[in-house]
Amino acid sequence: MSKIAKPVTIEVLCGQEIFQYYNEIAHVRCETFVLWPYLCLLDYEKEKIYLKEIANKSDAICVVAISGEAVVGAILGMPLADVCNDAIKCTLATLVPVATTYYIDGIAVLPRFQKKGHSKAMLNALEKEVSKKEYFESIVLSEVARAGSHPKRPKKERSLYRFWDDRG
């Protein structure tokens, strides 16, 4: 007998609402980013601490994809001014105004739920939520590009350029 797939729903969490799923979000981020170890702490307990810090920011947004009762995807975002990583903040500050820019801190979808439109649906929901906050003029995401010979570049790295190109 075959399993019937549960429909995936998209839910927007703002600020402290993130605590509702923060354990599951940490799990999804660690499981997804294992292919990109330079992007995520890859330590479940440290990731939970990071998520707690973000959830305490009033303009933080996390959009989750839920199948049944399980979180299978998440996009985390915050004002660029709230970004903890100074290297990211300083680099992006040379390109966009920090005070009016919203930052996407990763899109994570568990492998068996990838390539089904969930990333796009979550990103659309995040963009819609950010647009309600009239003081943000743009949304950015930074991508770490590693040379093919770089020792930390995953052997099976999949480029995200097509995903972004499809968005326009």
Side-chain angles (χ1 to χ4, degrees):
M1 180 158 48
S2 64
K3 276 186 164 181
I4 296 174
K6 294 181 176 136
V8 173
T9 59
I10 304 300
E11 187 173 336
V12 176
L13 309 168
C14 298
Q16 295 199 344
E17 292 174 344
I18 296 169
F19 285 117
Q20 179 180 352
Y21 294 113
Y22 91 102
N23 285 312
E24 294 88 348
I25 296 165
H27 169 76
V28 168
R29 285 171 55 92
C30 287
E31 286 295 311
T32 303
F33 294 145
V34 73
L35 293 176
W36 295 275
Y38 46 87
L39 295 182
C40 184
L41 300 171
L42 290 180
D43 176 294
Y44 179 70
E45 294 304 319
K46 288 181 182 175
E47 189 67 18
K48 286 191 333 186
I49 291 168
Y50 175 68
L51 288 170
K52 284 181 183 179
E53 291 173 11
I54 300 307
N56 282 314
K57 310 273 187 199
S58 62
D59 282 330
I61 298 170
C62 185
V63 179
V64 292
I66 301 172
S67 177
E69 294 183 16
V71 173
V72 298
I75 295 181
L76 184 64
M78 69 202 80
L80 183 55
D82 290 343
V83 170
C84 304
N85 185 319
D86 287 335
I88 290 172
K89 190 187 304 185
C90 291
T91 300
L92 291 174
T94 64
L95 304 170
V96 294
V98 172
T100 59
T101 301
Y102 203 83
Y103 177 72
I104 298 174
D105 184 344
I107 301 172
V109 178
L110 293 176
R112 69 186 186 110
F113 290 91
Q114 292 175 4
K115 296 188 176 187
K116 297 182 186 324
H118 306 313
S119 294
K120 289 179 184 175
M122 290 188 301
L123 188 55
N124 290 341
L126 183 125
E127 288 174 340
K128 184 176 179 181
E129 192 65 30
V130 171
S131 72
K132 294 177 186 177
K133 302 170 185 291
E134 296 178 3
Y135 40 93
F136 293 113
E137 297 173 359
S138 60
I139 300 174
V140 298
L141 173 93
S142 64
E143 182 176 351
V144 177
R146 299 281 186 186
S149 61
H150 194 283
K152 287 191 176 181
R153 183 180 176 137
K155 289 177 177 53
K156 295 181 180 180
E157 182 176 34
R158 189 173 73 221
S159 173
L160 298 175
Y161 291 134
R162 181 169 176 185
F163 175 82
W164 295 114
D165 285 345
D166 288 348
R167 291 204 56 87

